[in-house]
Amino acid sequence: MELFRCLFCVMVVVVLVCDVAAQPHWMLPVQKHQPQQPKVPPAAAPFDKCQVERHEKIQCGTEDITAEQCENINCCFDGRQCYYGKAVTVQCTRDGQFVVVVARDATVPHIDVDSVSLLETNDPSCTPVDYTAAFAIFQFPMTACGTILKEEQDYVVYENHMSSSYEVGVGPRGSITRDSHFELLFQCRYSGTAVEALVMEVNEVPPPMPVAALGPLRVEMKLGNGQCHSKGCFEEEAAYSSFYTPADYPITKVLREPIYVEVNILERSDPNIVLNLEHCWATSNPNPNSLPQWDILVDGCSYHDDRYLTTVLPVDGSSGLPYPTHHKRFAVKMFTFVDQNTFTPQKDTIFIHCATAVCYPSSTNSCEQSCHRQRRAAVTEVSQSQKALVSSGEVILTPSAPNTKSKR
């Protein structure tokens, strides 16, 4: 596709996650007054800019353009064709038109080129003249599509603004987006002695939360089965050296035997986020809402009405885990449910459940679940968190020494 044949001055804008730079290119035709060179910083080389699939290439410049001329206007040359790379290119034509080519791969993650538009959207001439899955091409008069005309000293300035829309998901405890977004302010400047095309600034939108903080929260619960085999070994540390596998369930325990529980976040690599256990409890069947229930942890702390308090175990850098704050550990002593009227044992199985939340530390919230205060003033954590419920496999009470797996 050939968009134009004669240029006054051409500008290339490279956008990498809302980071845009510009530099002049294209040899200006000889005129009565030689144009001044735009005083803008050089562009940073985009990553793999010229790796464009053959069927996605769009011609840049004229058909007879040379490789050197192609390179001078920050386009790519494959030996036969000059084409637009993975960038945002802004150009001013001799007949007073803006030409803007936006590449899908100009941002990370990739931008939806269908979402890119000028401020003026009611005029059909302000929509893309053509677009593919990889590029959107705009060509419009400098006096149209919401272009602002103003004077700056000896210059007449034509200025316009382009941006992309983005999809926002609204949830009960916050809103997120997974789309890239950029805003671009660009100009053509004319005077009696010069013609300049400038990209003045990029208005960055405050970035969303890191990718690692987006998406549904996934957690898992594992029960430790490691044992001490040497003198001086600490049972609480050894227990988490190995875990029961799904094939091991149901497992058996005797009364008051410790059950070592670990809850951890899956598929997150943000070292700043913190996993909190809001509530952990036990039931006699896999349904976490069934009755009877027994509290194990409340607000991350031992349930104070339990004579055998659950032990919350610290997880820090000495654990050898890549992200210690993504893990929580505690040990609860095995018990059995009894009839509420006769107080006779009637349930020989338990399932452990935990309501979890991810907390994002800030200057006003350390995300620490302190068990030494009367009540944590951390109600605000709920609005900053993503939540998930996780459950253990079946644990069976046995009157004798436990085996790895029950023989029911």
Side-chain angles (χ1 to χ4, degrees):
M1 178 183 299
E2 182 178 341
L3 298 180
F4 54 90
R5 292 185 176 275
C6 238
L7 301 180
F8 256 121
C9 187
V10 182
M11 298 301 302
V12 166
V13 182
V14 179
V15 180
L16 293 176
V17 193
C18 299
D19 184 15
V20 177
Q23 70 179 32
H25 52 72
W26 193 268
M27 297 297 294
L28 296 178
V30 178
Q31 303 179 21
K32 182 176 180 180
H33 299 288
Q34 191 69 12
Q36 299 176 356
Q37 294 299 320
K39 298 179 180 179
V40 291
F47 178 72
D48 283 339
K49 167 187 167 182
C50 295
Q51 298 299 316
V52 180
E53 296 292 335
R54 182 176 180 180
H55 67 278
E56 293 181 340
K57 293 180 180 178
I58 296 178
Q59 183 175 322
C60 177
T62 59
E63 293 182 357
D64 58 351
I65 191 172
T66 67
E68 182 180 2
Q69 290 172 327
C70 181
E71 183 179 353
N72 288 341
I73 61 172
N74 256 359
C75 285
C76 302
F77 197 80
D78 60 6
R80 296 176 300 175
Q81 179 187 9
C82 182
Y83 59 95
Y84 290 98
K86 298 176 181 179
V88 176
T89 306
V90 180
Q91 302 168 326
C92 302
T93 67
R94 174 176 292 181
D95 59 350
Q97 302 238 352
F98 279 118
V99 176
V100 184
V101 181
V102 181
R104 172 194 61 204
D105 297 339
T107 64
V108 179
H110 297 161
I111 195 171
D112 181 1
V113 293
D114 289 339
S115 72
V116 179
S117 65
L118 297 161
L119 289 180
E120 179 61 56
T121 58
N122 296 327
D123 189 340
S125 66
C126 303
T127 58
V129 296
D130 200 0
Y131 64 88
T132 66
F135 293 91
I137 303 101
F138 295 80
Q139 185 169 0
F140 57 95
M142 293 181 183
T143 56
C145 301
T147 301
I148 298 174
L149 175 63
K150 57 185 180 180
E151 295 184 8
E152 293 182 1
Q153 297 179 347
D154 296 331
Y155 287 91
V156 176
V157 180
Y158 294 90
E159 178 181 288
N160 211 318
H161 186 184
M162 174 176 286
S163 66
S164 68
S165 59
Y166 53 98
E167 182 178 325
V168 174
V170 179
R173 293 177 296 276
S175 303
I176 65 168
T177 183
R178 294 183 177 89
D179 298 334
S180 291
H181 179 64
F182 76 95
E183 296 189 12
L184 178 66
L185 179 66
F186 53 94
Q187 296 182 345
C188 278
R189 302 162 66 89
Y190 295 87
S191 75
T193 58
V195 178
E196 297 181 353
L198 296 177
V199 176
M200 296 300 294
E201 64 179 280
V202 173
N203 297 323
E204 295 188 8
V205 174
M209 296 298 295
V211 174
L214 302 179
L217 174 63
R218 294 191 63 229
V219 296
E220 67 173 350
M221 178 183 289
K222 301 180 293 185
L223 303 186
N225 65 355
Q227 298 179 357
C228 282
H229 298 289
S230 61
K231 187 177 181 180
C233 171
F234 292 98
E235 182 179 352
E236 293 177 349
E237 295 179 1
Y240 294 99
S241 61
S242 63
F243 298 89
Y244 293 106
T245 67
D248 293 328
Y249 288 92
I251 63 173
T252 57
K253 297 287 182 180
V254 298
L255 285 174
R256 300 185 188 176
E257 182 181 359
I259 303 174
Y260 294 99
V261 183
E262 175 171 302
V263 182
N264 61 277
I265 303 173
L266 296 173
E267 301 171 355
R268 296 288 181 92
S269 58
D270 184 351
N272 298 311
I273 61 176
V274 177
L275 174 67
N276 281 338
L277 303 181
E278 295 187 332
H279 182 204
C280 294
W281 67 101
T283 61
S284 59
N285 65 57
N287 182 359
N289 298 317
S290 64
L291 296 175
Q293 295 183 6
W294 184 255
D295 285 336
I296 298 173
L297 295 177
V298 178
D299 290 335
C301 303
S302 303
Y303 177 47
H304 60 83
D305 285 338
D306 191 338
R307 178 182 175 188
Y308 296 92
L309 293 177
T310 298
T311 303
V312 178
L313 303 171
V315 184
D316 52 28
S318 63
S319 65
L321 297 169
Y323 308 108
T325 60
H326 294 193
H327 298 251
K328 281 291 190 290
R329 292 172 174 174
F330 61 89
V332 57
K333 293 185 177 181
M334 181 64 182
F335 58 89
T336 184
F337 286 100
V338 298
D339 185 274
Q340 285 187 304
N341 297 318
T342 64
F343 301 115
T344 57
Q346 65 173 26
K347 302 292 183 180
D348 62 350
T349 64
I350 67 169
F351 294 81
I352 300 173
H353 315 276
C354 284
T356 68
V358 166
C359 180
Y360 306 101
S362 66
S363 59
T364 59
N365 182 13
S366 67
C367 294
E368 178 186 359
Q369 291 182 295
S370 175
C371 298
H372 301 292
R373 304 173 188 169
Q374 292 182 348
R375 252 328 158 185
R376 295 184 302 119
V379 186
T380 54
E381 284 188 16
V382 176
S383 64
Q384 302 175 36
S385 304
Q386 295 171 307
K387 299 183 177 183
L389 176 65
V390 64
S391 301
S392 74
E394 184 178 12
V395 182
I396 301 175
L397 175 67
T398 179
S400 59
N403 299 314
T404 300
K405 185 172 180 178
S406 173
K407 302 181 184 299
R408 297 182 67 185

